[in-house]
């Protein structure tokens, strides 16, 4: 996904590792379930039993090699928000150093929430494969997903590993789901995938400044934070036809005004395989953080 706009940022300090840190492996207790929703695709699975029940889900709101990732359950009760955390998916992989959010997940308790994650860091993805920083449409890589053994999250010495096994077949289903999302937006997926260029936002700095200063006051007074996804349909002339905000986290008062600002956004339009301007889409994440 493209750059996250952190509207208000507070940096947390890193505490020392506690005594008695350990590695905990948790086996699956259900099959994978895929939800083909109207505005997102979710791949979910349960791990552990009874009071030790855990959840992991991957979410995508558009085709991408990245995904939202949430893990939840009692093993994460010592994890803290925006602390240095290591994320890995198989033995021998250099862990990705991250600072995810934490929160409560209904029915499962404490959770660790990644607004954007990937099986490999962006600098390990080739231009031919595509990533969220290129101008080409990309999807999850089943070849890389076949190497996955677990979702491993480590913070302050504690490491929890949810033993997923290979994800190639499950990620193939997610790819089918996100291709269907593009069709739901009134776009031809194959034409988008073969595009020689996706839309490029030309006046981003000016519009983002407007978005950054408009933290909704009611939500700010309540200390409410949230992660959101924004999708715009871009005309062949480079203008915004539609703008949609999708909440990635539940909020009561936090309603993003970003689509109002996006009416002034200008784009270099997408080009099809023949180099002709075409209707397409542009997506990004918005983080409201106090």
């Amino acid at each position: 996904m493209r750059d996250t706009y952190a509207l208000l940022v507070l940096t947390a300090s890193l505490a020392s590792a506690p005594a008695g840190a350990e590695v905990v492996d948790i086996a699956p207790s259900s099959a994978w379930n895929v939800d083909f929703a109207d505005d997102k695709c979710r791949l979910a699975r349960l791990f552990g039993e009874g009071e030790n029940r855990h959840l992991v889900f991957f979410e995508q709101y558009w085709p991408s090699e990245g995904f939202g990732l949430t893990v939840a359950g009692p093993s994460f009760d010592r994890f803290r928000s925006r602390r240095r955390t290591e994320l890995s998916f198989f033995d021998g992989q250099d862990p990705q150093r991250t600072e995810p959010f934490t929160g409560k997940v209904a029915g499962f308790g404490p959770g660790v929430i990644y607004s954007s994650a990937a099986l490999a860091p962006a600098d390990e993805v080739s231009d031919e494969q595509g990533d969220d920083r290129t101008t080409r449409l990309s999807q999850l890589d089943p070849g890389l997903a076949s190497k996955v053994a677990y979702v491993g999250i480590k913070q302050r010495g504690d490491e929890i590993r949810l033993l997923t096994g290979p994800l190639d077949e499950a990620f193939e289903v997610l790819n089918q789901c996100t291709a269907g999302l593009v069709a739901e937006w009134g776009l031809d997926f194959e034409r988008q995938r073969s595009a020689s260029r996706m839309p490029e936002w030309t006046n981003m700095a000016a519009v983002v400044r407007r978005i950054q200063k408009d933290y909704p006051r009611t939500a700010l007074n309540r200390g409410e934070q949230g992660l959101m996804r924004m999708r715009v349909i871009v005309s062949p002339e480079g203008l915004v036809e539609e703008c949609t905000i999708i909440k990635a986290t539940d909020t009561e008062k936090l309603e993003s005004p970003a689509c109002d600002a996006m009416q002034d956004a200008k784009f270099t339009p997408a080009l099809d395989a023949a180099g002709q301007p075409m209707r397409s889409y542009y997506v990004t994440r918005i983080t409201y953080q106090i």
Side-chain angles (χ1 to χ4, degrees):
M1 298 161 191
R2 299 178 191 270
D3 294 341
T4 299
Y5 307 122
L7 304 190
L8 294 177
V9 177
L10 177 63
T11 302
S13 60
L14 178 65
S16 58
E22 59 179 339
V23 177
V24 177
D25 287 342
I26 305 175
S29 54
S30 77
W32 285 109
N33 177 268
V34 180
D35 181 11
F36 286 63
D38 291 338
D39 56 7
K40 66 183 176 183
C41 303
R42 175 181 284 186
L43 175 68
R45 195 175 195 183
L46 299 178
F47 294 77
E49 301 281 357
E51 295 182 356
N52 193 44
R53 192 176 66 154
H54 292 69
L55 169 72
V56 61
F57 62 77
F58 300 85
E59 283 187 333
Q60 291 191 297
Y61 294 75
W62 46 73
S64 173
E65 287 195 349
F67 44 79
L69 171 65
T70 296
V71 296
S75 296
F76 298 102
D77 62 351
R78 294 169 64 178
F79 284 64
R80 297 295 177 262
S81 191
R82 306 303 288 172
R83 300 284 180 91
R84 183 176 298 175
T85 305
E86 294 183 354
L87 174 65
S88 57
F89 296 96
F90 49 85
D91 292 338
Q93 181 185 32
D94 289 335
Q96 303 173 40
R97 291 172 175 79
T98 62
E99 293 184 354
F101 292 93
T102 59
K104 296 292 185 181
V105 176
F108 294 89
V112 180
I113 304 165
Y114 291 87
S115 63
S116 180
L119 295 183
D123 58 4
E124 295 182 10
V125 181
S126 70
D127 289 340
E128 288 74 23
Q129 291 174 306
D131 68 11
D132 289 316
R133 295 180 185 139
T134 71
T135 57
R136 301 294 184 95
L137 183 151
S138 61
Q139 287 191 287
L140 296 165
D141 180 358
L144 185 57
S146 68
K147 300 179 181 180
V148 172
Y150 49 77
V151 175
I153 300 180
K154 181 178 180 180
Q155 187 183 100
R156 304 172 63 200
D158 290 331
E159 183 172 10
I160 312 301
R161 302 196 308 184
L162 302 175
L163 305 178
T164 62
L167 294 176
D168 48 332
E169 293 184 5
F171 275 17
E172 287 275 20
V173 176
L174 274 182
N175 283 342
Q176 295 171 21
C177 183
T178 57
L181 288 179
V182 174
E184 290 291 330
W185 306 336
L187 302 173
D188 185 297
F189 175 76
E190 292 302 328
R191 193 180 186 204
Q192 300 295 317
R193 184 163 63 174
S194 64
S196 58
R197 183 184 71 198
M198 296 296 281
E200 299 174 3
W201 192 358
T202 58
N203 65 339
M204 178 185 292
V207 176
V208 167
R209 280 196 296 270
R210 288 183 55 190
I211 296 173
Q212 286 176 328
K213 69 180 183 180
D214 277 340
Y215 201 118
R217 184 168 297 279
T218 302
L220 182 60
N221 292 338
R222 291 168 56 94
E224 197 167 15
Q225 306 178 94
L227 305 174
M228 301 187 182
R229 320 286 183 179
M230 182 172 69
R231 179 185 73 243
V232 296
I233 301 299
V234 181
S235 74
E237 295 74 35
L239 302 177
V240 173
E241 289 187 3
E242 303 172 18
C243 178
T244 303
I245 296 291
I246 306 166
K247 291 184 179 181
T249 54
D250 291 332
T251 60
E252 293 183 11
K253 298 295 184 180
L254 183 54
E255 300 293 339
S256 175
C259 279
D260 293 337
M262 288 302 294
Q263 299 309 306
D264 295 326
K266 300 293 187 294
F267 292 84
T268 300
L271 300 178
D272 64 17
Q276 297 301 309
M278 69 172 184
R279 189 169 180 261
S280 189
Y281 69 95
Y282 182 94
V283 290
T284 191
R285 295 173 289 121
I286 301 175
T287 302
Y288 287 93
Q289 180 188 346
I290 300 173

